Amino acid sequence: MSSSTETDYKFEGWAGLTADACKGEMSFQSFEPKKWDEDDVDVRIQYCGICGSDVSALSGEWGPVDKVAPQICGHEIVGEVVKVGKAVENDLKVGDIVGIGAQSDSCRECESCKNGEENFCTKQTITFNAPYNRGSAASAGSVSRGGFAKYWRGPSRFAISVPSTMDPASAAPLFCGGVTVFSPLSEYGAGTTAKNVGVIGIGGLGHFAVQFASKMGAEVTAISRGENKKEDAIKLGATKYIATGGDVKRGIEGHQRSLDLIICTINPEELPIHDYLPLLRPHGYFILVGVVPKPLAIPAFSLILANIKVGGSNIGSPAIIRKMLDFAAAHDIGTKKSPSKYIQKYNMNDINKALPDFRDGKPRFRFVLVNTDNGGKL
Amino acid sequence: MSSSTETDYKFEGWAGLTADACKGEMSFQSFEPKKWDEDDVDVRIQYCGICGSDVSALSGEWGPVDKVAPQICGHEIVGEVVKVGKAVENDLKVGDIVGIGAQSDSCRECESCKNGEENFCTKQTITFNAPYNRGSAASAGSVSRGGFAKYWRGPSRFAISVPSTMDPASAAPLFCGGVTVFSPLSEYGAGTTAKNVGVIGIGGLGHFAVQFASKMGAEVTAISRGENKKEDAIKLGATKYIATGGDVKRGIEGHQRSLDLIICTINPEELPIHDYLPLLRPHGYFILVGVVPKPLAIPAFSLILANIKVGGSNIGSPAIIRKMLDFAAAHDIGTKKSPSKYIQKYNMNDINKALPDFRDGKPRFRFVLVNTDNGGKL
């Protein structure tokens, strides 16, 4: 009972086979998609953002690359629905433009799934290199395949419609990078209870955070190492800019107790978190969205003194993604009328140039790969 | 224009002079009280609780004892007002029963003071061994003197009326120990948004936390090392009890993601905080109220995974103390009708027995010193 306008597509993509994948060694090849379940959709991929964790996985930071090869990464996917199962969710139809973020499945049975917070499900499947734990895909041992490919197949619950006014290329990086910062800004009241918001790191997720927080009505302080992101940060909506010059303790002088919420988008080997905490007002939140490798070292006293909280935030549920897209559409963030100036596009065929550039720190903000033969526009 | 029924009192108390003070070396002597300001009150002390930080200060953990000697500690004070200045606050009158907690003054000018959150004032004065920064006391170099004494003098804003239905001896330890846990229970929604509350450590502040949280309508899980506090924890209102046996990771098995809020009242040299975090549901809070000496080591991942927060909480403002006392009175916690079964009284003249007993870990819950000659009842 599936409906489809196109049936002769093949699942092919750019696979990482060794830890040299990001050095220009991605290999175009066919792959086994998820075993079909009737709540699935197939999507013709037009755009896929590159996110730090793709590069981490493909570089062997998450374990030997060849053990889970071929790795089809990419988890900021936007494309057109070409097939829907008879148990499709989200009212999806063939021809719809949808996006898929970092999560592709969840158990549907736990408290979190039932609450519509699938991103906390302990049996979830992330969008690349992970086993499916549900349905025929589980029994078949299907592994999730991401968006560095021509087609994507997965559970329709995690394929979210892109509003028609949105620019699909600009929307792609919102599905992981965007929602990862939108979620805590929303949870901790940016613009309402948190009038003053700080954003640490502006180049990657940070630029979304500055944009969203300012549109939510917050006064935004952008915090970066150097001065080179200042002009962009102000354009994005920040009203203050702190350049720490690498010495956080000194850099924040004069700004103590000025912020209600800090979103930390950087993840250096070791984060001098203690030096940032004096920026917070009493009751303030310091929220990490990137996995800092070394454990945070936090003196209890620095939390107790002014009821400070240090926390983390994990992507966003389908419901939060939907909320973010509606917010972006309503506030003209990445719409067709004003597409993002903060993405740099590469033809997906040039992935072996794009990934090395990404690894070398070349993206000032966000990279998006484009499948021109699937209708994506450079 | 001060009014007073009693004028011939002397400021005398038990002073710590060396780091051996708590070994039975407290010395009864007269001391210089705060220089009088017209917003002050004098209080005839009837009861004073013993709290961990008194013993820390008197044992030299906060710096050499003799440098700030004579140390008149004690910061869970209850007594009768005997003199009020003409600029008295809180509508206090001679004869009123009031209490004073860990804080005795604040600047009145900062954002926190103006918001009624004096406990976050960076120029605050704690109740013992600290300089006053305001009024004639500041110019005179007055140092705060606590409750191990016959009389207390200080700013009336920090002397809070004890409701007439409360048992004054039971009320004393609420002024620091009680409010320190009441405040975060209240801030993080115990019984409302936080249906399931865990309390780590039951002997000291923990017993207040179990009592308050259960009366707020939460399901309370008491978490302790051994089984010896189980019966009391259940009587205090806990419905679950976890004895970790010193191995937290193993002890919490089967209880993962069962709690919305954890109040941690213990402060060992090093806290295995990472092992406790799996107890929390998504969005949960782990709140410390005791200064753990070694910095907390927290893997970022353990916070990010389920939007977990680790925070601290710092005593409570006069407004929160008032709210707590009203709550205690309304829920029959330490009232004249049901005085606390969890305090052990010593005549204050026996302080050189009480402090060594406290240091030796003898209090099952809370110690209260009694000035029988000032109307305190053993």
Side-chain angles (χ1 to χ4, degrees), chain A residues 234-280:
Chain A
I234 303 297
K235 274 188 202 156
L236 284 158
T239 52
K240 286 186 199 159
Y241 190 90
I242 299 176
T244 62
D247 182 346
V248 176
K249 207 177 270 184
R250 234 170 100 166
I252 68 158
E253 265 173 32
H255 300 278
Q256 286 91 342
R257 291 204 177 190
S258 67
L259 302 174
D260 304 299
L261 169 64
I262 295 173
I263 305 290
C264 179
T265 71
I266 61 172
N267 47 348
E269 183 67 18
E270 193 167 2
L271 184 75
I273 185 165
H274 180 230
D275 294 340
Y276 287 108
L277 295 181
L279 283 169
L280 287 170

Side-chain angles (χ1 to χ4, degrees), chain B residues 251-316:
Chain B
I252 68 157
E253 264 173 34
H255 300 277
Q256 285 92 342
R257 291 202 177 191
S258 67
L259 303 174
D260 304 299
L261 169 63
I262 295 173
I263 305 291
C264 179
T265 71
I266 61 173
N267 47 348
E269 182 68 17
E270 193 166 1
L271 184 74
I273 185 166
H274 180 229
D275 295 340
Y276 288 109
L277 295 180
L279 283 168
L280 287 170
R281 287 216 181 84
H283 306 288
Y285 288 89
F286 185 100
I287 303 295
L288 294 128
V289 297
V291 179
V292 177
K294 284 204 183 166
L296 305 165
I298 310 175
F301 194 68
S302 67
L303 301 176
I304 290 173
L305 205 62
N307 293 23
I308 297 302
K309 273 81 61 181
V310 171
S313 187
N314 184 18
I315 56 171

